Amino acid sequence: MADVTIEWGHTFHLRVLDVGLACCAVEFAAAAARGADMAALGARPFAPEPREANVMVISGTVTDKLAPHVKRLYDEMPAGSYVMSFGSCANCGGPYWDSYSVTKGVDQMIPVDVYVPGCPPRPEALLGGLALLNDRIAADLRAAP
């Protein structure tokens, strides 16, 4: 019984750290403003610091100059954290993929668990990504010994 309770607590308690770097951050804010929708998924947006977050949402264009700072934020998060790449720019560089200064996807520096496509993705897409992340967390907990 305790295992089920702990699994439920891990699945439905997401503290989200938004790394908003471009226009996708506005869509993240629009989804966060609909607090009841995010609360239904067990997500609380805008963690005050990386040490208190267990989900990082990278939204927007990651430039080569910002990449080390994003990596540092990820390294400050506790072990067992998850990453969501939100939008085409974070996924693969978006329309700027051939620029000399744009990282060709955030997955080149940190592991990504969920990709949300779109340019910019709608707020509902963030909620769908969080639901998918909840499913992944639940599957990881069931697979753990």
Side-chain angles (χ1 to χ4, degrees):
M1 181 64 178
D3 292 340
V4 172
T5 305
I6 291 170
E7 178 179 331
W8 179 83
H10 281 292
T11 305
F12 295 106
H13 182 70
L14 303 177
R15 294 290 310 250
V16 180
L17 174 68
D18 178 38
V19 181
L21 303 172
C23 48
C24 291
V26 175
E27 299 299 325
F28 178 89
R34 299 163 49 177
D37 292 341
M38 288 190 78
L41 294 169
R44 295 180 57 201
F46 307 119
E49 63 179 39
R51 291 176 191 90
E52 294 181 21
N54 59 358
V55 176
M56 175 186 276
V57 176
I58 300 166
S59 52
T61 310
V62 181
T63 62
D64 292 340
K65 198 168 196 172
L66 282 174
H69 301 290
V70 172
K71 174 82 167 105
R72 183 181 52 84
L73 286 173
Y74 176 76
D75 290 341
E76 288 181 10
M77 293 176 68
S81 297
Y82 295 88
V83 176
M84 180 186 301
S85 178
F86 186 65
S88 296
C89 290
N91 291 346
C92 63
Y96 313 109
W97 66 272
D98 61 347
S99 173
Y100 68 92
S101 63
V102 173
T103 302
K104 309 302 185 265
V106 73
D107 57 356
Q108 294 189 2
M109 63 184 147
I110 58 177
V112 175
D113 299 293
V114 175
Y115 295 91
V116 178
C119 183
R122 299 208 18 98
E124 294 83 10
L126 176 67
L127 300 175
L130 288 173
L132 187 63
L133 188 59
N134 268 334
D135 294 343
R136 178 164 181 165
I137 293 169
D140 287 351
L141 290 171
R142 280 193 295 275

